Amino acid sequence: EKPSYADDQIVVTAREMQLNNCTLQTYSHANLTERDYPSSYVTLANGASATVSFELPEIATKTAYMYVGNNDASSTKMMESSIIATIDGQAIAIPSISFKEAGMGYCGGSRTNFYFVKLGDLGALTAGPHTISVTGAANNLILGNIAIL
């Protein structure tokens, strides 16, 4: 499947990513209490990676976001120590944000929270193909999709 494009936004689901050392999982939305869990996802454990390829029709300044979850609302676990990310082989500076600040944890005690969290500023990208890679380093983030805005 190809990433979806709308109004200069690119959204790539886990189903559309190239995966390494992780397995695509699916989730059935049987009732509204499960409403924010992504329908497909991967767990980015240490060394597991997901790669997103996309093409821009023209030069554009972009920011990447990831739809992620973790059941730990820790104020000491940080996003930037949980993953390593690159754009076209160059490191992406991941914002310093704790799991608690990102909204991680449980909602109502049983459902893992998922939110869009800034992956990083990508800067001005040339027209043509680009690749974002996200690799787990610690804390097993559950990744549903990546959005490039």
Side-chain angles (χ1 to χ4, degrees):
E1 292 182 46
K2 295 241 182 205
S4 58
Y5 296 79
D7 300 323
D8 295 328
Q9 299 177 17
I10 303 162
V11 179
V12 183
T13 67
R15 186 173 271 113
E16 299 162 324
M17 296 176 192
Q18 298 168 347
L19 307 176
N20 186 31
N21 294 328
C22 55
T23 303
L24 181 70
Q25 302 290 316
T26 57
Y27 192 82
S28 173
H29 293 269
N31 62 58
L32 289 178
T33 65
E34 301 161 341
R35 67 191 173 277
D36 68 345
Y37 220 95
S39 58
S40 63
Y41 61 93
V42 295
T43 300
L44 292 179
N46 190 4
S49 66
T51 302
V52 170
S53 297
F54 62 98
E55 191 159 332
L56 292 178
E58 58 190 29
I59 295 172
T61 299
K62 295 293 186 181
T63 300
Y65 294 85
M66 53 187 175
Y67 190 60
V68 292
N70 185 293
N71 59 15
D72 188 345
S74 171
S75 59
T76 58
K77 290 183 180 176
M78 305 297 285
M79 286 296 190
E80 76 268 24
S81 61
S82 297
I83 56 172
I84 298 164
T86 62
I87 174 79
D88 301 330
Q90 301 297 312
I92 296 172
I94 300 163
S96 181
I97 183 172
S98 72
F99 279 24
K100 182 176 183 175
E101 293 168 320
M104 300 296 114
Y106 282 122
C107 178
S110 63
R111 181 172 45 95
T112 300
N113 286 340
F114 279 79
Y115 288 101
F116 272 101
V117 177
K118 186 176 182 179
L119 177 59
D121 292 316
L122 306 179
L125 299 176
T126 59
H130 297 280
T131 302
I132 294 175
S133 181
V134 182
T135 302
N139 305 317
N140 295 4
L141 288 174
I142 304 168
L143 175 65
N145 64 40
I146 291 178
I148 299 112
L149 312 176

PDB file of all heavy atoms in Angstrom, residues 74-87:
ATOM      1  N   SER A  74       5.312   7.449  33.190  1.00  0.00           N
ATOM      2  CA  SER A  74       6.492   7.877  33.927  1.00  0.00           C
ATOM      3  C   SER A  74       6.908   9.305  33.577  1.00  0.00           C
ATOM      4  O   SER A  74       6.878   9.711  32.422  1.00  0.00           O
ATOM      5  CB  SER A  74       7.654   6.932  33.609  1.00  0.00           C
ATOM      6  OG  SER A  74       8.853   7.433  34.130  1.00  0.00           O
ATOM      7  N   SER A  75       7.311  10.044  34.595  1.00  0.00           N
ATOM      8  CA  SER A  75       7.846  11.384  34.350  1.00  0.00           C
ATOM      9  C   SER A  75       9.356  11.340  34.141  1.00  0.00           C
ATOM     10  O   SER A  75       9.971  12.357  33.832  1.00  0.00           O
ATOM     11  CB  SER A  75       7.491  12.326  35.503  1.00  0.00           C
ATOM     12  OG  SER A  75       8.014  11.828  36.711  1.00  0.00           O
ATOM     13  N   THR A  76       9.968  10.147  34.287  1.00  0.00           N
ATOM     14  CA  THR A  76      11.417  10.026  34.079  1.00  0.00           C
ATOM     15  C   THR A  76      11.769   9.328  32.767  1.00  0.00           C
ATOM     16  O   THR A  76      12.868   9.498  32.266  1.00  0.00           O
ATOM     17  CB  THR A  76      12.087   9.270  35.247  1.00  0.00           C
ATOM     18  OG1 THR A  76      11.500   7.983  35.362  1.00  0.00           O
ATOM     19  CG2 THR A  76      11.932  10.039  36.549  1.00  0.00           C
ATOM     20  N   LYS A  77      10.852   8.545  32.207  1.00  0.00           N
ATOM     21  CA  LYS A  77      11.102   7.937  30.895  1.00  0.00           C
ATOM     22  C   LYS A  77      10.858   8.999  29.835  1.00  0.00           C
ATOM     23  O   LYS A  77       9.824   9.666  29.839  1.00  0.00           O
ATOM     24  CB  LYS A  77      10.201   6.727  30.666  1.00  0.00           C
ATOM     25  CG  LYS A  77      10.582   5.544  31.542  1.00  0.00           C
ATOM     26  CD  LYS A  77       9.729   4.335  31.246  1.00  0.00           C
ATOM     27  CE  LYS A  77      10.142   3.178  32.147  1.00  0.00           C
ATOM     28  NZ  LYS A  77       9.267   2.014  31.953  1.00  0.00           N
ATOM     29  N   MET A  78      11.826   9.138  28.935  1.00  0.00           N
ATOM     30  CA  MET A  78      11.776  10.215  27.956  1.00  0.00           C
ATOM     31  C   MET A  78      11.666   9.671  26.531  1.00  0.00           C
ATOM     32  O   MET A  78      12.227   8.618  26.217  1.00  0.00           O
ATOM     33  CB  MET A  78      13.044  11.073  28.068  1.00  0.00           C
ATOM     34  CG  MET A  78      13.297  11.619  29.471  1.00  0.00           C
ATOM     35  SD  MET A  78      12.009  12.739  30.062  1.00  0.00           S
ATOM     36  CE  MET A  78      12.394  14.193  29.108  1.00  0.00           C
ATOM     37  N   MET A  79      10.958  10.404  25.685  1.00  0.00           N
ATOM     38  CA  MET A  79      10.810  10.006  24.283  1.00  0.00           C
ATOM     39  C   MET A  79      12.170   9.905  23.600  1.00  0.00           C
ATOM     40  O   MET A  79      12.437   8.947  22.884  1.00  0.00           O
ATOM     41  CB  MET A  79       9.925  10.998  23.526  1.00  0.00           C
ATOM     42  CG  MET A  79       8.485  10.883  23.868  1.00  0.00           C
ATOM     43  SD  MET A  79       7.848   9.272  23.378  1.00  0.00           S
ATOM     44  CE  MET A  79       6.139   9.548  23.632  1.00  0.00           C
ATOM     45  N   GLU A  80      13.047  10.897  23.815  1.00  0.00           N
ATOM     46  CA  GLU A  80      14.311  10.907  23.073  1.00  0.00           C
ATOM     47  C   GLU A  80      15.262   9.793  23.481  1.00  0.00           C
ATOM     48  O   GLU A  80      16.186   9.473  22.740  1.00  0.00           O
ATOM     49  CB  GLU A  80      15.001  12.273  23.142  1.00  0.00           C
ATOM     50  CG  GLU A  80      15.699  12.568  24.460  1.00  0.00           C
ATOM     51  CD  GLU A  80      14.835  13.301  25.460  1.00  0.00           C
ATOM     52  OE1 GLU A  80      13.592  13.223  25.373  1.00  0.00           O
ATOM     53  OE2 GLU A  80      15.395  13.927  26.355  1.00  0.00           O
ATOM     54  N   SER A  81      15.051   9.159  24.630  1.00  0.00           N
ATOM     55  CA  SER A  81      15.893   8.014  24.990  1.00  0.00           C
ATOM     56  C   SER A  81      15.213   6.686  24.644  1.00  0.00           C
ATOM     57  O   SER A  81      15.807   5.623  24.784  1.00  0.00           O
ATOM     58  CB  SER A  81      16.254   8.048  26.477  1.00  0.00           C
ATOM     59  OG  SER A  81      15.094   7.983  27.270  1.00  0.00           O
ATOM     60  N   SER A  82      13.984   6.744  24.158  1.00  0.00           N
ATOM     61  CA  SER A  82      13.235   5.532  23.822  1.00  0.00           C
ATOM     62  C   SER A  82      13.392   5.126  22.368  1.00  0.00           C
ATOM     63  O   SER A  82      13.202   3.964  22.022  1.00  0.00           O
ATOM     64  CB  SER A  82      11.747   5.739  24.127  1.00  0.00           C
ATOM     65  OG  SER A  82      11.568   5.948  25.508  1.00  0.00           O
ATOM     66  N   ILE A  83      13.710   6.089  21.506  1.00  0.00           N
ATOM     67  CA  ILE A  83      13.842   5.810  20.073  1.00  0.00           C
ATOM     68  C   ILE A  83      15.002   6.584  19.473  1.00  0.00           C
ATOM     69  O   ILE A  83      15.464   7.578  20.043  1.00  0.00           O
ATOM     70  CB  ILE A  83      12.552   6.167  19.299  1.00  0.00           C
ATOM     71  CG1 ILE A  83      12.164   7.625  19.542  1.00  0.00           C
ATOM     72  CG2 ILE A  83      11.422   5.214  19.620  1.00  0.00           C
ATOM     73  CD1 ILE A  83      11.034   8.126  18.679  1.00  0.00           C
ATOM     74  N   ILE A  84      15.438   6.122  18.319  1.00  0.00           N
ATOM     75  CA  ILE A  84      16.408   6.824  17.487  1.00  0.00           C
ATOM     76  C   ILE A  84      15.701   7.033  16.154  1.00  0.00           C
ATOM     77  O   ILE A  84      15.087   6.107  15.627  1.00  0.00           O
ATOM     78  CB  ILE A  84      17.679   5.985  17.300  1.00  0.00           C
ATOM     79  CG1 ILE A  84      18.348   5.736  18.652  1.00  0.00           C
ATOM     80  CG2 ILE A  84      18.635   6.657  16.322  1.00  0.00           C
ATOM     81  CD1 ILE A  84      19.367   4.618  18.616  1.00  0.00           C
ATOM     82  N   ALA A  85      15.768   8.240  15.613  1.00  0.00           N
ATOM     83  CA  ALA A  85      15.087   8.513  14.349  1.00  0.00           C
ATOM     84  C   ALA A  85      16.017   9.226  13.380  1.00  0.00           C
ATOM     85  O   ALA A  85      16.862  10.030  13.789  1.00  0.00           O
ATOM     86  CB  ALA A  85      13.841   9.361  14.600  1.00  0.00           C
ATOM     87  N   THR A  86      15.860   8.902  12.095  1.00  0.00           N
ATOM     88  CA  THR A  86      16.637   9.562  11.048  1.00  0.00           C
ATOM     89  C   THR A  86      15.731   9.953   9.888  1.00  0.00           C
ATOM     90  O   THR A  86      14.701   9.327   9.649  1.00  0.00           O
ATOM     91  CB  THR A  86      17.769   8.652  10.513  1.00  0.00           C
ATOM     92  OG1 THR A  86      17.186   7.482   9.927  1.00  0.00           O
ATOM     93  CG2 THR A  86      18.751   8.263  11.602  1.00  0.00           C
ATOM     94  N   ILE A  87      16.148  10.984   9.169  1.00  0.00           N
ATOM     95  CA  ILE A  87      15.534  11.358   7.902  1.00  0.00           C
ATOM     96  C   ILE A  87      16.658  11.326   6.865  1.00  0.00           C
ATOM     97  O   ILE A  87      17.674  12.010   7.035  1.00  0.00           O
ATOM     98  CB  ILE A  87      14.838  12.750   7.942  1.00  0.00           C
ATOM     99  CG1 ILE A  87      14.327  13.179   6.558  1.00  0.00           C
ATOM    100  CG2 ILE A  87      15.743  13.830   8.503  1.00  0.00           C
ATOM    101  CD1 ILE A  87      13.057  12.549   6.129  1.00  0.00           C
TER     102      ILE A  87
END
